[in-house]
Amino acid sequence: MAASDPGRWGECGPRPPGRLGARGGQEPGTVLGAVGMMDLAYVCEWEKWAKSTYCPSLPLACAWSCRNLIAFTTDLRNDDQDLTHMIHILDTEHPWEVHSVSSGHSEAITCLEWDQSGSRLLSADADGQIKCWSMADHLANSWESSVGSQVEGDPIVALSWLHNGVKLALHVEKSGASSFGEKFSRVKFSPSLTLFGGKPMEGWIAVTVSGLVTVSLLKPSGQVLTSTESLCRLRGRVALADIAFTGGGNIVVAAADGSSASPVKFYKVCVSVVSEKCRIDTEILPSLFMRCTTDPNRKDRFPAITHLKFLARDMSEQVLLCASSQTSSLVECWSLRKEGLPVNNIFQQISPVVGDKQPMILKWRILSATNDLDRVSAVALPKLPISLTNTDLKVASDTQFYPGLGLALAFQDGSVHMVHRLSLQTMAVFYSSAPRSLDEPALKRPRTTCPAVHFKAMQLSWTSLALVGIDNHGKLSMLRISPSLGHPLEPKLALQHLLFLLEYCMVTGYDWWDILLHVQPGMVQSLVERLHEEYTRQKPALQQVLSTRILAMKASLCKLSPCTVARVCDYHTKLFLMAITSTLKSLLRPHFLNTPDKSPGDRLAEICAKITDVDIDKVMINLKTEEFVLDMNTLQALQQLLQWVGDFVLYLLVSLPNQGSPLRPGHSFLRDGTSLGMLRELMVVIRIWGLLKPSCLPVYTATSDTQDSMSLLFRLLTKLWICCRDEGAASEPDEGLVDECCLLPSQLLVPNLDWLPASDGLVSRLQPKQPLRLRFGRAPTLPSSTSTLQLDGLTRAPGQPKIDHLRRLHLGAYPTEECKACTRCGCVTMLKSPNKTTAVTQWEQRWIKNCLCGGLWRRVPLSCS
């Protein structure tokens, strides 16, 4: 790729429709073409207090995790003008519920960094102190710091977790492939440090202003090993630094002293453990001078380097540099390449160099550069690991723009530009205020006494479909970014982009909230169907691994459309049913230790699938009942879960005559042979356990004392299951079955099922071009979601009795126990377990860290439980 002249674009491909050009904004006519590609979703700002004030910290730090948690810093100033350095953590779905932590840092916080799982946070300050924060009780709004390290009195300028060796590449050109293995491939990448057996060792690395690199390792015992070493023999001031990782397990540090006249230096850092001590070895790599300093016309115009970033943590070969003056900036993109070293003809005659024997050197080459810009105030880099090929320039020059190929630049005039990360071509622009015209003479522009509101820190989401910015007033803004910038997308292509990213989140386990920002109600049905089609094309083993994630993904999509909102209850209920089935089957133990290849749970499923008898006792005879023997206390502790199974079976059968109403929760179960088969297996297990302890059986209110309710329900359930057990040859229930189900309400009292409440989050209430204005700490009065208005049972009247959705325990109208709620689905459960039996503990372990849908837990006030 040929290097471009800093003042020209000719060598970087065709002239873009909206390039980063002269100061004062874009060229006339280019802003309109980009409008709509980036728009404001919501704004959240602080309340103004009389005695204390939140003000932006200097420097301002911000970080966005793969679980869609955002952390940022402010300073809290009291009447005495004393500053408390605060860390704020919020969930993007409930930004007003910010959790503020007094960090305990004595100086300004300079860095924030999430780990790869999105559950731990590093913070570093200008006094050299580093703290590691983790969730208390696995709650997203409760954080504590238990470990850390310190380089006393030496400010931290760069911070990162050590790489765990996991790297996934997205192959955009194969987005139409049927196998996930073709779309997303595992890249060979070594961890920064490994334990015995190859397990990656956890820890962090930091660079200080005096040129030291410090590494802290977290041993499995909880001990922290810390070592500090100089980056090179001649230590110098490091004003800016960044950290990246190589596939061979090494670490690369880029450092600059802040002056554009000085070189940007690069160092290789190797970490090892020798005799239970951490060892650091460093090596100098090729350096570079910014191109603007070698241009005679610009040599002194940009005296300071203000931003230094690797394009990705695992891409140490490409770096972004920004040089600035008081009012303007210039951005350059550089790449490290291997180049052949020319050999003199004399030596060629003595020993000819052919093929791979030619000596190679590493050399930095400029890829692209911008014209003069307004002063850059913040930079946000993509986290999406798109696999780039030799067609980088072609992709850069095309109007097609995939998520992950762009980075964001914020300017002091209040604008944000999305640019291609290699060519730096502008693909979209967002203005926080009305853009000024280039035709307007500079002398006629109004002079302002204070700088314009602009972002001081920015972060892109993990799919690059959303951007969060913290401005110089401490206000948080959430922006949507179009799946393909540069030109409007056809609906079919937009759907394909969103589907590809949903599949990526399904494979990685990342949260997909930012993708939902772009899903319109008309897309939901197609997305759910296409997602299911792609899922069924995968191998059975992979389907089993992803079975819960796809259900949670379908549920969150269906919330966005009034036509599909009833399915939300069905998907969450299926998640609950799958979890109960797996837990109850895991309690079964073979009678003899030398038992066969199949477990009791597998034999139960096989026998129930083979025997289609409607008599529950005849099915039970074919099982080895000794494998179902459990402790009496265990059976009694499971009664609430068994009661839910019985109530749900009764509800489904009563719903059969009204199966034509898709707005009724449970509708999809009436045609789901797999789920009906699970319920049938559970009914058999419950029947056997009822013989051991009758008090564990579901309780029904029947009109006749002699009626066997379990047998009646099993008989009707089996008839319904037979109609739809074969997906390809499903048949309609006969009239006799429908008539018997019509009589059920006169034979048994049908209880009210407590469905999950309507979520109080934002994503289903956001409207295009209608941003919400929120305040931290104040629950908003959100506009009602049109999707929940049509479905009874999803709204809860004040004072109505509440229930623990996972333990199925009634909490009363005003619960006295502390509760937690899921950030994704709104599921509520008690924070502490009221029962300590082994079986209940085993059930609770399934959702102690995350909800069954995969969402994070947050503590909720008693009044909101």
Side-chain angles (χ1 to χ4, degrees):
M1 186 179 298
S4 67
D5 182 81
R8 298 170 57 238
W9 285 91
E11 297 177 20
C12 293
R15 181 184 181 92
R19 63 185 176 89
L20 283 176
R23 293 172 52 213
Q26 288 190 306
E27 295 176 311
T30 60
V31 175
L32 293 178
V35 169
M37 298 302 181
M38 297 174 66
D39 69 297
L40 190 62
Y42 63 76
V43 174
C44 207
E45 52 191 333
W46 296 101
E47 293 275 9
K48 294 183 179 179
W49 301 98
K51 295 185 178 181
S52 59
T53 306
Y54 285 105
C55 54
S57 58
L58 295 174
L60 182 63
C62 177
W64 192 329
S65 83
C66 63
R67 307 299 301 276
N68 280 322
L69 293 177
I70 293 174
F72 64 100
T73 60
T74 63
D75 291 335
L76 182 61
R77 180 181 285 116
N78 58 21
D79 285 341
D80 299 329
Q81 298 301 306
D82 294 330
L83 290 180
T84 302
H85 304 291
M86 306 292 294
I87 297 176
H88 308 283
I89 301 174
L90 57 87
D91 166 43
T92 52
E93 180 74 339
H94 306 86
W96 59 90
E97 293 184 355
V98 63
H99 178 67
S100 301
V101 182
S102 178
S103 65
H105 286 288
S106 58
E107 297 292 337
I109 299 171
T110 56
C111 302
L112 290 176
E113 190 75 23
W114 289 101
D115 71 346
Q116 289 86 350
S117 68
S119 57
R120 289 182 299 177
L121 178 71
L122 288 177
S123 62
D125 66 14
D127 191 40
Q129 187 178 23
I130 301 173
K131 291 189 173 186
C132 177
W133 302 85
S134 57
M135 296 184 192
D137 298 324
H138 309 290
L139 298 173
N141 56 357
S142 181
W143 294 81
E144 58 187 5
S145 174
S146 55
V147 294
S149 61
Q150 187 164 10
V151 185
E152 192 169 352
D154 206 350
I156 305 295
V157 293
L159 178 68
S160 175
W161 289 90
L162 296 180
H163 205 286
N164 61 1
V166 177
K167 183 180 178 182
L168 202 69
L170 279 76
H171 301 281
V172 176
E173 70 279 4
K174 297 182 181 179
S175 60
S178 58
S179 170
F180 287 168
E182 296 180 40
K183 300 178 185 180
F184 319 108
S185 63
R186 180 76 178 264
V187 178
K188 187 178 181 181
F189 210 91
S190 298
S192 303
L193 191 63
T194 56
L195 294 166
F196 179 77
K199 181 181 179 182
M201 193 168 190
E202 296 182 324
W204 56 82
I205 178 173
V207 180
T208 71
V209 75
S210 68
L212 294 177
V213 57
T214 177
V215 176
S216 297
L217 305 177
L218 298 176
K219 297 183 68 175
S221 61
Q223 182 185 0
V224 180
L225 294 180
T226 301
S227 180
T228 303
E229 187 62 63
S230 176
L231 280 172
C232 60
R233 292 182 180 179
L234 297 176
R235 286 172 59 185
R237 179 176 181 269
V238 177
L240 299 168
D242 200 18
I243 301 166
F245 302 91
T246 68
N250 295 320
I251 304 167
V252 177
V253 174
D257 63 5
S259 171
S260 61
S262 301
V264 179
K265 300 179 180 179
F266 297 85
Y267 306 91
K268 182 172 75 172
V269 179
C270 301
V271 182
S272 57
V273 176
V274 180
S275 302
E276 294 295 318
K277 292 184 179 179
C278 179
R279 176 178 172 178
I280 303 173
D281 296 304
T282 62
E283 178 184 335
I284 299 177
L285 297 176
S287 303
L288 67 86
F289 281 92
M290 290 192 67
R291 176 65 64 86
C292 63
T293 62
T294 62
D295 184 350
N297 298 324
R298 302 187 179 190
K299 186 173 182 181
D300 300 320
R301 290 183 57 187
F302 304 99
I305 298 179
T306 53
H307 296 88
L308 164 61
K309 296 284 186 182
F310 286 106
L311 289 188
R313 280 283 188 226
D314 48 15
M315 192 181 295
S316 59
E317 302 85 15
Q318 293 173 346
V319 67
L320 188 81
L321 300 170
C322 177
S324 303
S325 64
Q326 291 293 328
T327 57
S328 59
S329 293
L330 181 143
V331 179
E332 296 178 357
C333 183
W334 290 74
S335 177
L336 184 65
R337 304 221 169 154
K338 279 186 178 181
E339 296 184 358
L341 189 63
V343 179
N344 191 283
N345 292 334
I346 296 176
F347 296 104
Q348 281 276 21
Q349 295 173 3
I350 298 173
S351 177
V353 177
V354 292
D356 298 336
K357 294 183 179 181
Q358 183 179 9
M360 306 292 288
I361 60 170
L362 291 173
K363 197 167 185 178
W364 286 99
R365 293 292 186 184
I366 190 168
L367 294 179
S368 55
T370 65
N371 292 334
D372 296 5
L373 314 169
D374 274 299
R375 184 177 172 88
V376 175
S377 59
V379 177
L381 296 170
K383 304 178 181 72
L384 199 63
I386 287 185
S387 176
L388 295 177
T389 62
N390 295 329
T391 58
D392 291 343
L393 264 184
K394 181 180 182 302
V395 174
S397 61
D398 286 344
T399 52
Q400 189 79 337
F401 184 88
Y402 291 99
L405 288 181
L407 56 89
L409 299 175
F411 297 92
Q412 285 193 341
D413 65 355
S415 65
V416 178
H417 291 234
M418 283 297 299
V419 302
H420 194 279
R421 69 181 183 183
L422 295 182
S423 69
L424 301 181
Q425 295 178 13
T426 301
M427 310 304 291
V429 179
F430 169 79
Y431 285 98
S432 59
S433 56
R436 62 176 184 254
S437 171
L438 286 178
D439 298 331
E440 181 183 3
L443 294 177
K444 292 187 177 181
R445 291 175 187 159
R447 295 174 179 263
T448 55
T449 57
C450 58
V453 176
H454 59 275
F455 289 155
K456 297 288 289 183
M458 292 191 305
Q459 284 283 314
L460 283 165
S461 69
W462 284 64
T463 62
S464 296
L465 291 185
L467 181 142
V468 66
I470 315 293
D471 65 25
N472 50 338
H473 292 172
K475 182 172 62 177
L476 181 146
S477 300
M478 180 66 66
L479 304 180
R480 297 185 189 91
I481 301 176
S482 171
S484 184
L485 301 177
H487 68 88
L489 273 181
E490 296 179 2
K492 185 177 180 180
L493 191 55
L495 198 72
Q496 182 63 34
H497 277 341
L498 296 178
L499 178 66
F500 183 62
L501 293 173
L502 284 171
E503 292 169 351
Y504 170 69
C505 290
M506 191 193 308
V507 171
T508 58
Y510 294 162
D511 190 75
W512 54 89
W513 176 88
D514 45 334
I515 303 176
L516 300 181
L517 288 175
H518 301 269
V519 178
Q520 301 299 320
M523 297 181 178
V524 171
Q525 182 69 27
S526 298
L527 270 177
V528 171
E529 291 176 356
R530 292 281 304 278
L531 200 62
H532 183 75
E533 288 175 8
E534 297 296 329
Y535 169 77
T536 54
R537 292 177 182 175
Q538 310 311 311
K539 296 179 180 179
L542 183 58
Q543 288 188 32
Q544 186 174 1
V545 171
L546 303 178
S547 59
T548 56
R549 288 182 193 166
I550 189 172
L551 286 175
M553 197 169 280
K554 289 178 179 179
S556 58
L557 286 169
C558 288
K559 285 182 182 180
L560 306 178
S561 170
C563 301
T564 56
V565 67
R567 298 189 207 169
V568 177
C569 298
D570 292 6
Y571 290 131
H572 285 304
T573 302
K574 189 166 184 178
L575 279 171
F576 191 66
L577 174 61
M578 290 168 61
I580 286 183
T581 303
S582 180
T583 301
L584 296 187
K585 284 185 177 181
S586 67
L587 296 175
L588 308 180
R589 294 289 183 269
H591 189 58
F592 301 103
L593 293 180
N594 56 351
T595 349
D597 311 329
K598 295 182 179 177
S599 66
D602 292 336
R603 281 199 301 277
L604 170 67
E606 183 180 349
I607 291 173
C608 288
K610 185 185 301 183
I611 302 176
T612 59
D613 202 298
V614 296
D615 189 337
I616 191 172
D617 294 324
K618 290 183 179 179
V619 177
M620 188 175 64
I621 290 173
N622 291 275
L623 295 168
K624 298 178 181 179
T625 53
E626 60 270 13
E627 295 179 342
F628 294 78
V629 175
L630 294 180
D631 179 71
M632 298 301 171
N633 293 331
T634 299
L635 292 176
Q636 191 59 48
L638 296 172
Q639 201 278 331
Q640 297 295 336
L641 297 181
L642 305 185
Q643 181 70 48
W644 178 86
V645 174
D647 289 345
F648 186 61
V649 170
L650 176 57
Y651 171 84
L652 287 181
L653 294 173
V654 170
S655 302
L656 184 60
N658 300 321
Q659 58 180 315
S661 173
L663 289 180
R664 186 179 178 89
H667 170 77
S668 63
F669 278 89
L670 301 177
R671 289 289 181 272
D672 187 352
T674 304
S675 296
L676 295 177
M678 287 184 189
L679 289 169
R680 193 165 172 267
E681 295 168 18
L682 293 180
M683 293 288 281
V684 174
V685 174
I686 293 172
R687 181 73 163 192
I688 296 174
W689 285 347
L691 299 177
L692 301 174
K693 190 172 182 63
S695 60
C696 77
L697 288 170
V699 177
Y700 296 103
T701 304
T703 54
S704 172
D705 296 335
T706 59
Q707 180 175 276
D708 187 346
S709 302
M710 286 283 292
S711 296
L712 172 63
L713 294 178
F714 183 84
R715 178 167 59 83
L716 298 179
L717 179 63
T718 300
K719 289 182 178 181
L720 179 59
W721 168 71
I722 290 173
C723 294
C724 55
R725 60 174 174 168
D726 298 324
E727 293 185 6
S731 60
E732 290 294 324
D734 57 45
E735 293 184 4
L737 174 59
V738 174
D739 291 341
E740 287 189 86
C741 291
C742 286
L743 294 175
L744 271 179
S746 63
Q747 298 171 306
L748 296 171
L749 179 64
V750 182
N752 291 323
L753 287 184
D754 197 295
W755 304 100
L756 285 180
S759 174
D760 59 348
L762 284 176
V763 72
S764 60
R765 295 170 170 82
L766 291 173
Q767 300 295 327
K769 300 182 181 179
Q770 296 180 14
L772 295 177
R773 301 200 170 273
L774 311 168
R775 289 193 178 273
F776 291 119
R778 181 195 294 181
T781 305
L782 296 173
S784 299
S785 172
T786 56
S787 58
T788 58
L789 294 177
Q790 302 183 29
L791 186 61
D792 296 333
L794 288 187
T795 55
R796 190 191 302 277
Q800 183 179 346
K802 300 174 178 63
I803 193 170
D804 184 320
H805 292 108
L806 297 180
R807 296 186 179 91
R808 309 310 301 179
L809 297 173
H810 292 276
L811 303 176
Y814 303 99
T816 57
E817 294 290 330
E818 281 192 304
C819 294
K820 58 185 179 181
C822 174
T823 56
R824 186 182 289 165
C825 70
C827 172
V828 176
T829 186
M830 286 185 289
L831 197 56
K832 296 181 180 179
S833 173
N835 197 318
K836 301 298 182 183
T837 60
T838 304
V840 173
T841 302
Q842 186 175 339
W843 166 243
E844 293 173 349
Q845 286 298 318
R846 288 185 171 271
W847 40 266
I848 189 163
K849 292 184 179 180
N850 303 291
C851 178
L852 293 177
C853 72
L856 293 170
W857 292 116
R858 58 187 173 97
R859 190 193 305 267
V860 293
L862 294 177
S863 58
C864 300
S865 300

